[in-house]
Amino acid sequence: MKKKITLFLTALLLITLLCPGVSASPYYNYSFTYFGNEAAEPQAYNVSQTITGISAGTTHFKTPSDIHVTKVNGVNRVYISDTGNNRIVVLDENFKFVTEVTGYHTIHTKQEIYDNWPEMYREMFPEEFSSEPTETPEPTPTPEPTPTPEPELGEEDPDATEAPEPTPEPTPAYIVPNPDEEYSSFYTLKQPEGVFVEENGNMYVCDTQNGAIVYFEYKVDADGNESYENFRDGIYDDPRVSMVDKDYVYRPSKVIKDNSGRLYVLANNNTNGILQMTDKGEFVTYIGANKTTATAIQILTRTLFPWLTSQTTAVIPTEYNNITIDAEGFIYATIGTVSRSDLYSHMTSKGAEKGAPIRRLNAMGTDILRRLGAKAPVGDILALTSYSYLMPDTSKFMDIAVDSNNSYAVIDTNRGRAFTYDYDGNLLYVFGGIGKVEGTFAEQGAVSIAIVDDEDYLILDSKQNLINYYKPTSQGRVIREAVTAKNARDYDLATEKWEEYLMFSSNSEVAYNNIGKLYLKKGRELYLKKETRDEGARYFDKAMKAFKLAQERSNYSEAYVEYRRYNTEKSLPYVLTGAIILIVAGIVVTNIRKYKRAKAARLAELAGRRHKK
């Protein structure tokens, strides 16, 4: 008995060591079938390292809210908005502390301070408003007025006139002494929520509670020490958004910059869309505003009972909660507050007008995100197809990261998971989860994601005050290589990589769907040339088989149409030849019959004449 147990444990150990897909990960990868059911997939990403403030060589992080990665002079730098500590932390490529930014200097003239911050001016220069007390002279007695007799009842007083209203004396304008004199003051960052860094190292920081965006210049001294110094004109406060709503308090939370130098800003409690600004912080316009649609009940109530309009719930557009920009200058934005009904409608219709939690905006603010998968990218599909009491929370996206293949990963803070989609909106893999072990997140903790070296991911947990660093497994790397090959139009290599992935997951609908699409593309390319038309048809047939295994009906129909066209075109000459032969044969037979009938009629006529004679 002991020998059998020993042999069993030895075999189990060998299987564990030899199978690359076996891991002790606290989360799992999955995809969704055509019918919306969950299907297990090999693990695509595993956590490689957990980064805290202490492990990085600084103090503990406190409710960090944003993370950004940029190559500066060819070397990765990681920037963290450590919101609770009122600072921006900079880490090197090994996730070790480099420097931190805690505030910035401002330089203003006395006249600017007086015009914009009069109370501050009084605190800075109280001596200008102090005056020596002087003796107040005694008032000169004035003679009492002679009483006049009151008019009798019903009689008008001829001397009575209305007393003129006293005109207020004009307040003299205060003249600021030495108005051009400059003063410098230091502002401490107050709960910064966003950071964006250019390739030259210069940095934009959303100083949220101070209501400003600050532009810092990257500097390196002779000893190699890095630091950041704000530009004199690089403090952008309220960009006149108060013109729309005078009661609105400007609180910028996220900022990005495109290749043309334009800034795009998200501000808290702003439902007008994304603020577009010049590189000088001047307001230009709003783009990408979310459209609203009133329900039938709201329309009926406002039509029949207009006096109740002020008491009904207003239809307010949802606001974006995060933005990023890809290499082509397109803006990716996420929306976290989408209702279950709008999400379900968007998932099935794949329309961009309403309910889309992910958007790809061009310069005009038009959503051009491709949604060519079986379902639109909405995160967890089961949350929308299951009963609400079984899975009450839909996916809530908080941030998005885009790689060079235009594949994008979005963070679902309700599940602590990253859903990764390709350029066409097909789900590739999922990683992460809720928990307290390495590689998982606190509930509502995962708030920001950044991509490293176009392959790895850093995900920020604002509740546990840490960063999880994920690297792809062998299976995940095969998927990435397949997507890269497809974008490079190397369809043979892409097909080879997806077929390699089937060795890890033989029933993967994701793999079969992608293989079918590659077969279809290859078949269409071959079909254009007459000499390779037969080979193209064989790819159509293979695509149909792959789509059938993937339960992809719409794509199967496309492949079937192409294959049917080939069969029709190939058999058409034979059909036409046969038809011509049949027609000619019919004509010949008809003429023969006519000739025989005519001959028989003549013979009968001759026989009749002979009989009469």
Side-chain angles (χ1 to χ4, degrees):
M1 184 68 181
K2 291 182 179 179
K3 184 181 275 188
K4 290 182 178 179
I5 294 175
T6 304
L7 289 173
F8 174 75
L9 293 176
T10 303
L12 184 62
L13 179 61
L14 288 173
I15 291 172
T16 304
L17 293 174
L18 294 175
C19 294
V22 177
S23 65
S25 178
Y27 49 85
Y28 62 97
N29 180 26
Y30 59 93
S31 61
F32 297 102
T33 66
Y34 180 82
F35 299 101
N37 299 319
E38 190 177 290
E41 296 283 352
Q43 194 63 265
Y45 273 78
N46 278 330
V47 64
S48 172
Q49 183 181 352
T50 296
I51 305 154
T52 63
I54 299 300
S55 70
T58 181
T59 57
H60 287 288
F61 298 138
K62 185 177 179 182
T63 59
S65 59
D66 194 24
I67 187 168
H68 184 85
V69 178
T70 298
K71 279 188 180 295
V72 179
N73 298 327
V75 181
N76 283 329
R77 285 290 181 267
V78 180
Y79 303 83
I80 304 160
S81 290
D82 193 7
T83 307
N85 287 325
N86 301 316
R87 62 176 179 169
I88 302 297
V89 179
V90 184
L91 307 181
D92 64 14
E93 69 276 14
N94 298 315
F95 311 121
K96 295 301 179 182
F97 179 79
V98 175
T99 186
E100 66 180 13
V101 177
T102 59
Y104 50 96
H105 292 275
T106 61
I107 300 177
H108 295 286
T109 64
K110 288 184 67 178
Q111 188 66 51
E112 289 174 342
I113 297 172
Y114 180 79
D115 293 340
N116 294 284
W117 306 281
E119 294 182 2
M120 181 190 299
Y121 186 91
R122 288 178 177 272
E123 293 176 1
M124 292 177 63
F125 310 103
E127 67 280 359
E128 295 183 7
F129 298 93
S130 61
S131 57
E132 294 294 332
T134 57
E135 293 184 2
T136 305
E138 294 183 1
T140 304
T142 55
E144 294 183 0
T146 305
T148 56
E150 296 183 0
E152 295 183 4
L153 187 62
E155 225 179 80
E156 293 184 0
D157 185 2
D159 299 328
T161 57
E162 293 183 0
E165 295 182 1
T167 56
E169 295 182 2
T171 304
Y174 180 75
I175 300 176
V176 177
N178 303 319
D180 297 329
E181 189 175 341
E182 293 183 340
Y183 288 85
S184 174
S185 57
F186 183 79
Y187 278 81
T188 301
L189 292 176
K190 193 173 181 181
Q191 298 181 22
E193 295 182 9
V195 58
F196 178 82
V197 183
E198 300 176 289
E199 292 183 356
N200 59 8
N202 293 345
M203 176 172 60
Y204 290 88
V205 175
C206 289
D207 188 13
T208 305
Q209 293 305 315
N210 281 329
I213 295 173
V214 187
Y215 187 31
F216 292 90
E217 182 182 9
Y218 173 68
K219 292 189 175 182
V220 182
D221 62 17
D223 298 327
N225 298 317
E226 301 177 21
S227 62
Y228 291 87
E229 180 179 328
N230 64 286
F231 287 90
R232 171 171 180 164
D233 297 327
I235 302 171
Y236 314 137
D237 52 9
D238 186 352
R240 301 297 179 264
V241 293
S242 57
M243 290 188 301
V244 179
D245 184 358
K246 294 182 179 180
D247 297 328
Y248 177 72
V249 180
Y250 178 60
R251 294 288 182 262
S253 60
K254 298 293 182 289
V255 59
I256 58 175
K257 186 178 183 179
D258 66 11
N259 296 329
S260 301
R262 290 169 295 197
L263 297 178
Y264 297 90
V265 180
L266 294 184
N268 295 335
N269 302 318
N270 171 42
T271 59
N272 296 310
I274 302 171
L275 284 79
Q276 185 185 95
M277 299 161 54
T278 67
D279 58 351
K280 301 299 182 183
E282 299 168 348
F283 176 72
V284 178
T285 185
Y286 287 105
I287 68 166
N290 294 307
K291 297 181 179 179
T292 60
T293 304
T295 63
I297 295 177
Q298 289 173 327
I299 295 174
L300 185 64
T301 302
R302 293 173 183 178
T303 303
L304 298 179
F305 311 104
W307 57 88
L308 296 178
T309 300
S310 60
Q311 302 177 20
T312 58
T313 304
V315 183
I316 301 175
T318 54
E319 60 180 290
Y320 297 106
N321 56 7
N322 224 315
I323 51 176
T324 190
I325 193 165
D326 64 14
E328 300 176 70
F330 293 103
I331 299 171
Y332 284 78
T334 57
I335 302 173
T337 55
V338 184
S339 66
R340 178 186 294 269
S341 59
D342 287 346
L343 268 179
Y344 181 81
S345 175
H346 171 68
M347 178 188 70
T348 53
S349 68
K350 296 187 284 188
E353 294 297 323
K354 184 180 178 182
I358 307 170
R359 299 188 178 184
R360 187 179 190 233
L361 306 175
N362 59 19
M364 301 299 294
T366 305
D367 184 10
I368 58 172
L369 187 73
R370 292 166 66 90
R371 302 176 177 90
L372 304 181
K375 301 286 191 298
V378 294
D380 201 298
I381 292 176
L382 287 178
L384 297 171
T385 56
S386 303
Y387 292 105
S388 59
Y389 63 86
L390 294 176
M391 192 169 292
D393 294 328
T394 59
S395 291
K396 181 180 180 180
F397 293 147
M398 293 297 291
D399 196 9
I400 185 169
V402 187
D403 65 16
S404 60
N405 292 318
N406 285 324
S407 297
Y408 50 93
V410 282
I411 284 296
D412 175 9
T413 190
N414 283 340
R415 290 166 181 75
R417 294 174 184 162
F419 291 83
T420 306
Y421 299 88
D422 66 10
Y423 178 60
D424 292 329
N426 298 295
L427 180 65
L428 296 175
Y429 40 78
V430 181
F431 60 93
I434 299 295
K436 294 185 177 180
V437 297
E438 189 178 38
T440 60
F441 304 91
E443 293 184 10
Q444 305 287 325
V447 295
S448 187
I449 184 172
I451 192 166
V452 183
D453 293 329
D454 208 39
E455 183 177 79
D456 306 336
Y457 290 102
L458 291 171
I459 302 180
L460 189 65
D461 188 337
S462 64
K463 297 292 182 67
Q464 299 187 89
N465 301 313
L466 54 82
I467 304 166
N468 283 323
Y469 178 42
Y470 294 90
K471 296 181 74 67
T473 62
S474 56
Q475 298 92 328
R477 188 165 284 109
V478 168
I479 294 176
R480 294 192 62 85
E481 290 172 354
V483 173
T484 302
K486 178 187 174 184
N487 288 345
R489 297 185 179 275
D490 190 347
Y491 300 137
D492 293 333
L493 178 59
T495 305
E496 178 185 332
K497 289 298 179 180
W498 279 116
E499 289 174 344
E500 181 182 344
Y501 182 74
L502 285 175
M503 297 173 61
F504 304 116
S505 179
S506 59
N507 295 321
S508 173
E509 291 188 9
V510 174
Y512 281 119
N513 185 26
N514 280 279
I515 289 172
K517 289 181 178 179
L518 291 167
Y519 282 155
L520 186 57
K521 283 181 178 290
K522 184 72 173 179
R524 284 171 172 166
E525 286 187 356
L526 294 171
Y527 197 80
L528 294 175
K529 299 179 181 179
K530 186 177 181 180
E531 58 272 16
T532 57
R533 189 161 292 179
D534 293 341
E535 186 180 357
R538 286 194 291 271
Y539 274 98
F540 292 148
D541 185 42
K542 293 167 70 174
M544 289 167 57
K545 294 176 181 177
F547 287 137
K548 187 174 182 180
L549 291 171
Q551 300 289 338
E552 187 59 56
R553 299 183 179 184
S554 59
N555 289 327
Y556 178 88
S557 298
E558 288 187 31
Y560 176 74
V561 168
E562 298 287 356
Y563 191 65
R564 183 180 60 185
R565 184 181 67 170
Y566 164 77
N567 288 327
T568 302
E569 291 178 357
K570 188 174 183 180
S571 59
L572 186 60
Y574 301 100
V575 173
L576 292 177
T577 303
I580 291 171
I581 292 172
L582 289 174
I583 291 171
V584 172
I587 293 172
V588 171
V589 169
T590 301
N591 290 334
I592 291 172
R593 286 179 178 177
K594 287 182 179 180
Y595 174 76
K596 288 182 177 181
R597 287 179 190 147
K599 185 177 180 180
R602 286 196 300 270
L603 291 174
E605 184 179 354
L606 290 172
R609 290 177 182 177
R610 289 175 184 173
H611 180 70
K612 289 181 180 179
K613 291 179 177 179

